[in-house]
Amino acid sequence: MSQSPATLPPVLLHSEAELARDALATPLLARAARLARWAGPDTRVGAGGELVDEQLPAAAAELGLTGPEGADGLDDGDAAAYASEAWRVAVDTGLVEIHEAPEDAEGAEAEADGTVTEGEELGLLTSGAPQDVLGIWLAALETVFADATVPDLDDLVDAIEDGGEIDFEALGWDPQGEADFLEGVLGNLYLLTVGEGAADGAVPLPALAASMIVPDDMGEPTDDILEQVSDAMMWLDDQFRMLEPIGLVAYQPVDEALMADIDSEEPMPPVDDEDVTRYGMVRLTPLGLYGIRARMLEAGLDAPAVGDLADKGADTLLDGTAAFPQGAAQAEIEQWLARRESLGAARELLSAARGGDEGAPLRRLRCQQALSLVGDEAEPALREVLDDAELGGLARVWLAEHGAADVPAPSEGMVFWLTIDTIAAQLAAEGNSEELQALVEGLAAQHSGFFAAAWRVEHPATADVLEAMGRLHPDKKVAKEARKAAFKARSQQA
């Protein structure tokens, strides 16, 4: 089922300059800009700012959608629809400004059509900053998103009651429900794109539809659930076709040959894993990642981007990257270090890594990760903390890895403390992972008296680490030793 975590994984965005170029190249915004430059004093619009029907053929021709060199396969009706859509985007984004017909002396609207002038935003597409262009694109996305959740026009006309109100019940349309469903689908697609272990390729449409409908605890989907997934796929096929021209997604539509099976009353047969592309494939573009993140931020979600912490202090960096996937944490740290000289950065990182709170071990792990990226010029900062109970162990590791001379050997107590600290950090970062289990097994095998000494380590996480080792170790005898050591550690803390 769709999930909305309070904090989403960080996304690595393209630069604003690159995104702005992508936005200008999207077919729909490019058409909207072309129509805005084409419009003039003779352009006629209706009361809502829409092009009157008589103007649509000329607008379509301006866009190259009709005539001998027009788009293949477009009839006049489709060409007019594309032109109308592009014009609507031009109006909604401020590329054109609509002036309504003046009222007559008695206060009634004149029968004349409204007029059009160039909008203030049009110039920003060529002379504005990347942020200006992206702002216009986001406004265009809002228009397209709204259009994507509106039912077929013919159905809409049929559902209009005598008083001019839409009979939603007769139409079978829940505007807010459909908007929420599409938001959820795009949110899941975002998570599938930026999450740990996310695939670089497109997501199969059946998997995306199922992520919204199939309960997490359901084993084999029922026929009713499969039918709902089939219906959702057909609906999403239409939506993604609409969202692709604005550059939000790259979409391979459902194979037309499958439409009859999907439209039939029988549930859709199981997806053939060997030919899943026939059922539709979708991925967010770099511009799409930017757009969905912007919508999430507007909705109040915490949707971080790599680079958000680059101008913050080391304490914010270490705390902020604590929950990041490994790759995202590495990228964030690299951007933070790029703005600082190595020695000063190392000192700031080491200072921020201190502490006995629950999050301190993971801070020190991220500190080690950051220090692995600085050069030998940071050596003085590491030597300054050799006698520090919390940092001396990791400082010795860094100095040894960089081939430094005269590095004092650590005491046994420092070795055990660093071991507990490292396991506590990995538990916080990864939970009961296979890598951590392998580490636990290796420690127990290499040090026969490990648990006899480990319970005495004065570290806030000692008991929790030993309990975890007892839980993770496959050998029952060793696991029992770990649990006994954890009990002793808790007794000592009490």
Side-chain angles (χ1 to χ4, degrees):
M1 298 289 284
S2 174
Q3 298 179 0
S4 296
T7 301
L8 295 156
V11 58
L12 182 59
L13 296 174
H14 287 193
S15 70
E16 288 189 341
E18 292 175 295
L19 293 170
R21 286 194 293 270
D22 290 345
L24 291 172
T26 59
L28 186 51
L29 186 57
R31 289 173 184 166
R34 187 168 179 176
L35 286 185
R37 297 185 179 99
W38 160 81
D42 296 331
T43 305
R44 298 163 55 202
V45 296
E50 75 282 0
L51 285 174
V52 298
D53 290 345
E54 295 82 359
Q55 293 268 236
L56 288 174
E62 173 65 22
L63 296 176
L65 300 175
T66 59
E69 298 181 1
D72 292 340
L74 281 184
D75 58 27
D76 290 344
D78 287 340
Y82 281 123
S84 179
E85 180 187 32
W87 180 258
R88 190 162 55 254
V89 168
V91 172
D92 289 350
T93 56
L95 300 182
V96 294
E97 186 174 345
I98 304 300
H99 303 277
E100 297 180 357
E103 296 180 346
D104 60 22
E106 297 180 1
E109 264 192 24
E111 294 184 2
D113 299 314
T115 58
V116 179
T117 57
E118 182 178 301
E120 294 182 1
E121 307 296 325
L122 183 59
L124 294 178
L125 291 182
T126 53
S127 61
Q131 284 185 335
D132 297 323
V133 174
L134 291 172
I136 295 170
W137 180 82
L138 285 172
L141 174 60
E142 188 65 34
T143 296
V144 176
F145 185 90
D147 287 348
T149 56
V150 174
D152 181 82
L153 182 59
D154 292 336
D155 293 338
L156 194 59
V157 171
D158 292 341
I160 295 179
E161 299 175 318
D162 294 337
E165 298 293 327
I166 298 175
D167 184 356
F168 292 120
E169 186 175 347
L171 191 58
W173 178 41
D174 177 6
Q176 188 60 50
E178 292 199 1
D180 290 345
F181 186 85
L182 184 55
E183 290 277 20
V185 167
L186 292 173
N188 280 3
L189 185 57
Y190 183 92
L191 282 172
L192 290 169
T193 305
V194 306
E196 181 75 354
D200 294 332
V203 176
L205 194 57
L208 191 56
S211 73
M212 293 292 295
I213 293 170
V214 180
D216 294 333
D217 57 355
M218 176 174 279
E220 189 71 20
T222 63
D223 286 350
D224 178 61
I225 290 292
L226 289 174
E227 185 176 353
Q228 291 182 49
V229 171
S230 298
D231 291 343
M233 284 175 55
M234 291 301 297
W235 187 79
L236 288 172
D237 182 68
D238 290 336
Q239 313 318 307
F240 287 137
R241 288 173 191 259
M242 294 184 67
L243 293 169
E244 187 172 35
I246 196 60
L248 190 78
V249 297
Y251 182 55
Q252 177 182 325
V254 177
D255 189 336
E256 296 290 342
L258 295 172
M259 290 298 187
D261 290 336
I262 296 176
D263 283 336
S264 70
E265 296 183 0
E266 297 296 323
M268 189 180 67
V271 174
D272 180 0
D273 291 338
E274 294 183 0
D275 199 11
V276 70
T277 60
R278 296 185 64 203
Y279 295 85
M281 302 289 289
V282 62
R283 67 173 176 84
L284 285 174
T285 63
L287 187 61
L289 282 170
Y290 169 84
I292 298 304
R293 176 177 181 263
R295 293 179 66 86
M296 288 178 167
L297 292 174
E298 187 175 350
L301 292 175
D302 186 2
V306 172
D308 284 351
L309 307 180
D311 59 348
K312 303 294 192 295
D315 53 346
T316 302
L317 174 73
L318 298 183
D319 283 332
T321 56
F324 281 18
Q326 181 69 18
Q330 181 89 357
E332 185 70 59
I333 290 168
E334 287 174 353
Q335 292 201 25
W336 189 87
L337 289 171
R339 300 190 179 194
R340 294 161 176 81
E341 53 89 18
S342 294
L343 181 57
R347 286 182 172 134
E348 189 178 350
L349 287 165
L350 289 165
S351 177
R354 289 190 173 92
D357 57 283
E358 187 176 350
L362 190 49
R363 283 203 305 276
R364 284 186 281 273
L365 183 65
R366 293 294 187 229
C367 176
Q368 286 181 281
Q369 184 178 350
L371 291 172
S372 70
L373 302 175
V374 299
D376 292 343
E377 57 270 26
E379 181 176 334
L382 279 299
R383 289 194 177 276
E384 290 166 4
V385 298
L386 282 173
D387 295 330
D388 189 289
E390 296 175 348
L391 304 176
L394 68 86
R396 284 167 170 78
V397 171
W398 188 94
L399 290 167
E401 289 177 346
H402 284 72
D406 301 323
V407 180
S411 66
E412 183 181 66
M414 181 173 285
V415 171
F416 275 95
W417 195 96
L418 181 60
T419 301
I420 295 293
D421 198 58
T422 301
I423 296 176
Q426 292 187 335
L427 277 169
E430 304 172 8
N432 299 333
S433 65
E434 293 182 3
E435 292 79 3
L436 185 55
Q437 182 174 343
L439 174 61
V440 167
E441 291 181 35
L443 281 172
Q446 293 172 19
H447 305 281
S448 57
F450 178 82
F451 296 112
W455 70 268
R456 303 176 188 275
V457 174
E458 295 183 2
H459 189 293
T462 296
D464 292 335
V465 166
L466 291 172
E467 281 184 358
M469 294 181 74
R471 187 172 62 249
L472 290 169
H473 204 290
D475 187 289
K476 291 183 179 180
K477 182 180 179 181
V478 176
K480 185 177 180 180
E481 285 184 48
R483 290 193 296 270
K484 287 176 63 177
F487 179 79
K488 290 181 179 179
R490 290 206 186 281
S491 299
Q492 176 177 260
Q493 290 173 350

